[in-house]
């Protein structure tokens, strides 16, 4: 015969758990398929040259005089003046093929009239004009 089986009482420690924390999960956007491959570097063609300055147009079209612009500003090559606008210092200060009419500096002028522009100017402002109107 066998001896009776006895067991010792089982004791266990209480079960505890640490708080569970996790970083938020961020999903990246899905890239559409297929993606466009990058452009090879360098390109073989050079960039185009700058375009020439604008011209005054068809010389056969009659010229219509324009009023002098009353608000005088400083004309520059970066911000050129239009027809009958001033104050310019050189031709590059005028838009396109317009020229800077220098009053009292060798230009034929009665001192008050600006060729091709309507109105009189009693100042020493230099004006952008159409070269076809030079005296």
């Amino acid at each position: 015969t066998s001896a009776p089986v006895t067991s010792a009482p089982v004791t266990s420690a209480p079960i505890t758990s640490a708080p569970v924390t996790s970083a938020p999960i961020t999903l990246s956007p899905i890239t559409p398929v297929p993606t466009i491959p990058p452009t090879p570097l360098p390109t073989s063609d050079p960039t185009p040259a700058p375009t020439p300055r604008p011209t005054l147009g068809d010389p056969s079209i009659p010229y219509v005089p324009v009023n002098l612009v009353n608000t005088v500003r400083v004309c520059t090559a970066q911000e050129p003046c239009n027809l009958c606008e001033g104050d310019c210092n050189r031709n590059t200060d005028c838009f396109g093929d317009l020229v800077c009419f220098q009053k009292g500096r060798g230009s034929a002028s009665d001192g008050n009239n600006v060729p091709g522009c309507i109105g009189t100017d009693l100042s020493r402002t230099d004006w952008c004009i159409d070269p076809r109107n030079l005296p």
Side-chain angles (χ1 to χ4, degrees), residues 40-61:
L41 295 175
T43 59
S44 59
D45 296 329
T47 58
T51 58
R53 292 179 68 176
T55 61
L56 294 173
D58 187 349
S60 65
I61 298 172

Side-chain angles (χ1 to χ4, degrees), residues 27-35:
L27 299 176
S28 59
I30 298 174
T31 305
V33 178
T35 59

Side-chain angles (χ1 to χ4, degrees), residues 12-106:
S12 63
I15 299 174
T16 61
S17 62
V20 177
T21 59
S22 63
I25 298 173
T26 305
L27 299 176
S28 59
I30 298 174
T31 305
V33 178
T35 59
I36 300 171
T39 305
L41 295 175
T43 59
S44 59
D45 296 329
T47 58
T51 58
R53 292 179 68 176
T55 61
L56 294 173
D58 187 349
S60 65
I61 298 172
Y63 174 77
V64 177
V66 174
N67 288 327
L68 287 172
V69 176
N70 290 331
T71 306
V72 175
R73 65 182 180 91
V74 176
C75 309
T76 65
Q78 292 76 28
E79 293 185 31
C81 282
N82 290 308
L83 183 63
C84 299
E85 190 177 24
D87 186 20
C88 56
N89 292 312
R90 57 192 61 82
N91 291 345
T92 56
D93 294 343
C94 299
F95 185 77
D97 287 340
L98 299 176
V99 295
C100 184
F101 179 70
Q102 303 277 322
K103 289 178 63 175
R105 296 190 192 121

